Amino acid sequence: AHINMSEEGVQCPPGLQESSDPSGNIRACGRTVDNNCSSVHFPTGSSSYTLICGIVRGYAKGAPNAFGPSYYNPDLANIDSPYVDGISITRGSPRHHIWTYAAR
């Protein structure tokens, strides 16, 4: 999947909400306001793969605290919970962790 919000006419995939800075110069996709987290699924179809590559450009909004106390609950500390302020890349079902970028 390729999503470059600096390209004209590009829209956020379903499950993410577009936001921009006050000048409108920076457009980004993020979670919806009423959710702790949002997920986007990019199916590979019948294609097999051996590498997952990507670039993520993140913008902070509010007061991110990485793996801070607002997300840490030992009973819910798993890959399916909102455990990070940032981006988590997973694969498969059930999810398998690839990498996490925590914002602080």
Side-chain angles (χ1 to χ4, degrees):
H2 174 83
I3 304 165
N4 184 344
M5 293 304 289
S6 64
E7 294 176 358
E8 191 173 327
V10 173
Q11 295 181 347
C12 295
L16 296 181
Q17 177 178 301
E18 183 176 329
S19 61
S20 61
D21 69 332
S23 68
N25 292 329
I26 298 173
R27 296 171 47 236
C29 299
R31 66 179 174 86
T32 58
V33 176
D34 57 345
N35 287 331
N36 285 333
C37 61
S38 294
S39 294
V40 178
H41 182 247
F42 298 107
T44 59
S46 60
S47 301
S48 62
Y49 57 91
T50 57
L51 294 173
I52 298 173
C53 302
I55 297 171
V56 174
R57 178 179 293 163
Y59 299 95
K61 185 175 183 179
N65 62 358
F67 301 101
S70 65
Y71 286 109
Y72 185 72
N73 177 336
D75 297 327
L76 299 174
N78 65 61
I79 200 166
D80 294 314
S81 68
Y83 68 93
V84 65
D85 274 347
I87 302 288
S88 175
I89 304 295
T90 61
R91 67 166 181 85
S93 179
R95 294 179 182 188
H96 299 276
H97 183 259
I98 303 297
W99 60 260
T100 297
Y101 175 80
R104 183 170 165 113

